[in-house]
Amino acid sequence: MTQREVEDLLRALAPQVLGILVRRHGAFSACEDAVQEALLAAATQWPERGVPDNPRAWLLTVAGRRLTDEWRSERARRDREVAVALREPAYAAVAPPADEPPSTGDDSLTLFFLCCHPALPRSAQLALTLRAVGGLSTAQIAQAFLVPEPTMSQRIRRAKQRVEAAGARFAMPSPAERDERLRTVLHVLYLIFNEGYTASSGADLHRAELTGEAIRLTRQLHRALPDDGEAAGLLALMLLTDAHRAARTGPGGELVPLAEQDRSRWDRAAIAEGVALVTEALTWSPPGPYQLQAAIAAVHAEAPSAKRTDWPQIVALYRVLAAVSPNPMVTLNRAAAVAMVDGPRAGLALLAPLDADERVADHHRLAAVRAHLLELAGEREAAREAYLLAARRTTSLPERRYLEVRAARLAGDR
């Protein structure tokens, strides 16, 4: 088995092993640390020695030994053992035999909800989900978010402490709380994907390790909750969006906008899966924000060219999305679509109120969309200034270069 195959296997096993340990012992922080050490040992040993017959049992055994060693070094060991003994029978502390079939419990889903506990800030939810459910190391997460490893280590440590201080139990929340917490889980996965698809800073436009992990985790969530239309919608949206990735950058890493992309380079298998997912979900589930965004992405994906895109249908979908989930980014995208149907002046009129919305007034995307619509309207100087404003505001180097090039072209046309 190659190093990459071992890493993929470990990422799939990580939440299963952590879920079993936390369910058995509590002490989320200690169990998570033990699992990380077991994953590190496996990543080092398995490529050379081979994968054991029951890799999950191997990880459970190694992580269990790590926990035992840790507790033996603490004076509180006896109290913890008594607490565990009172909660579960003695045989529960024994690792399962190698021939034991996999557990049917949905520990991964419970971990999703635990990592997205409302006591945690959004940044901590992102980091903890990637570490506990995704199986990524602290170094990998720090690299993905462009922060020093010690900073990310502290963030994860504080997150685990806050979860335990909040008295969170390793159990599914009540039905009412679950519905609310699920929205947070979906949003965290959405943010992870977005950070990977358009990195908020740095020299690279994409961070494929984040988009790939977001898709993998969302697929896992959809598998656990097949009757949730929004989980299906989010997976469809990710697949349809990520299908453009190969065509989204040029030979030098420069950004290529949707209208100029070589559509023969789009991932047709991902598009087919995404279209099927959202089409099926919309037949039985009330349309939610992720399903509607996926439906819009599907219209783009199925268009043979930018000129032959069904813009009236996209405008209609944005109208529904604005009613279901009104927010400035929806208005921004809707304005761009309206401009393709009713002209750039109509799109600019929709953008005007956003100047007073503090959530987006200083965002580079507002300036970038306005620049594009001004260019379509023939106002070249105003468009050039808006492109330069957007370039100053973005922290993504590929986006900045693209916006500066657009501005320079307009300057050259004067």
Side-chain angles (χ1 to χ4, degrees):
M1 185 174 285
T2 65
Q3 182 74 40
R4 178 61 181 273
E5 289 171 333
V6 168
E7 290 177 0
D8 291 344
L9 176 61
L10 290 176
R11 287 183 183 179
L13 291 173
Q16 299 178 35
V17 175
L18 179 57
I20 292 170
L21 289 177
V22 176
R23 186 181 298 280
R24 183 178 295 162
H25 301 296
F28 174 78
S29 182
C31 290
E32 203 275 332
D33 287 342
V35 169
Q36 285 295 318
E37 291 206 11
L39 293 173
L40 179 60
T44 303
Q45 297 176 28
W46 290 2
E48 295 181 1
R49 304 180 186 178
V51 176
D53 292 337
N54 191 328
R56 193 186 70 161
W58 189 98
L59 291 170
L60 277 170
T61 300
V62 173
R65 287 172 181 165
R66 169 66 174 80
L67 279 175
T68 300
D69 292 343
E70 179 67 20
W71 287 341
R72 280 176 179 168
S73 67
E74 298 178 1
R75 299 181 66 180
R77 175 183 62 84
R78 193 177 303 276
D79 291 340
R80 292 183 180 181
E81 288 180 346
V82 169
V84 171
L86 290 174
R87 192 164 65 237
E88 295 198 48
Y91 62 77
V94 180
D99 59 351
E100 179 178 309
S103 169
T104 57
D106 197 357
D107 287 333
S108 295
L109 183 59
T110 307
L111 274 177
F112 268 119
F113 284 100
L114 187 63
C115 293
C116 295
H117 194 280
L120 296 177
R122 188 56 45 81
S123 61
Q125 292 174 344
L126 289 167
L128 202 55
T129 299
L130 285 172
R131 165 117 174 188
V133 189
L136 273 65
S137 68
T138 302
Q140 289 172 315
I141 301 170
Q143 183 179 19
F145 287 96
L146 301 177
V147 299
E149 185 175 347
T151 301
M152 184 56 69
S153 179
Q154 291 176 1
R155 186 179 299 174
I156 292 172
R157 187 182 308 112
R158 285 195 297 267
K160 292 187 289 187
Q161 291 171 347
R162 291 185 70 165
V163 166
E164 293 183 348
R169 297 185 304 108
F170 189 74
M172 287 293 290
S174 65
E177 186 183 357
R178 196 202 81 162
D179 290 342
E180 179 61 30
R181 191 90 66 86
L182 179 59
R183 305 281 77 81
T184 300
V185 172
L186 293 171
H187 190 56
V188 164
L189 293 171
Y190 180 71
L191 291 175
I192 292 171
F193 178 85
N194 284 347
E195 177 60 29
Y197 191 68
T198 303
S200 58
S201 59
D204 296 323
L205 183 65
H206 303 124
R207 294 191 177 277
E209 72 278 12
L210 281 182
T211 53
E213 191 61 19
I215 291 172
R216 188 185 73 83
L217 293 176
T218 306
R219 193 183 295 281
Q220 185 176 334
L221 184 66
H222 171 56
R223 192 179 300 118
L225 297 172
D227 295 330
D228 188 272
E230 281 292 82
L234 180 57
L235 178 57
L237 175 61
M238 289 181 180
L239 291 168
L240 290 163
T241 304
D242 194 57
H244 303 171
R245 179 157 44 95
R248 196 163 166 255
T249 53
E254 66 275 13
L255 186 153
V256 180
L258 180 65
E260 299 173 18
Q261 289 175 14
D262 178 359
R263 301 190 176 211
S264 68
R265 300 182 65 196
W266 288 2
D267 186 339
R268 290 297 162 185
I271 289 173
E273 183 181 1
V275 169
L277 271 169
V278 68
T279 302
E280 197 271 337
L282 286 171
T283 62
W284 53 265
S285 173
Y290 296 119
Q291 294 171 73
L292 290 168
Q293 290 180 72
I296 292 167
V299 176
H300 281 296
E302 293 184 316
S305 66
K307 290 183 178 180
R308 296 174 63 187
T309 301
D310 189 347
W311 287 107
Q313 184 180 0
I314 290 177
V315 169
L317 287 168
Y318 269 122
R319 190 179 301 117
V320 178
L321 180 59
V324 170
S325 181
N327 68 70
M329 284 301 175
V330 170
T331 302
L332 198 63
N333 292 323
R334 182 184 176 193
V338 166
M340 301 302 294
V341 177
D342 299 324
R345 297 293 177 190
L348 288 166
L350 284 176
L351 291 183
L354 296 182
D355 291 329
D357 191 325
E358 61 181 12
R359 294 172 295 176
V360 75
D362 295 327
H363 198 285
H364 76 277
R365 284 203 61 207
L366 175 57
V369 172
R370 175 171 282 125
H372 175 62
L373 299 189
L374 286 168
E375 184 178 1
L376 291 177
E379 298 188 30
R380 293 181 173 275
E381 181 58 28
R384 187 183 73 86
E385 292 177 0
Y387 277 129
L388 291 175
L389 176 61
R392 289 194 298 270
R393 287 178 173 173
T394 185
T395 53
S396 166
L397 292 181
E399 284 189 323
R400 181 181 302 165
R401 293 191 199 102
Y402 170 77
L403 293 164
E404 289 173 344
V405 167
R406 299 293 301 186
R409 288 177 180 172
L410 289 174
D413 290 341
R414 289 186 298 178

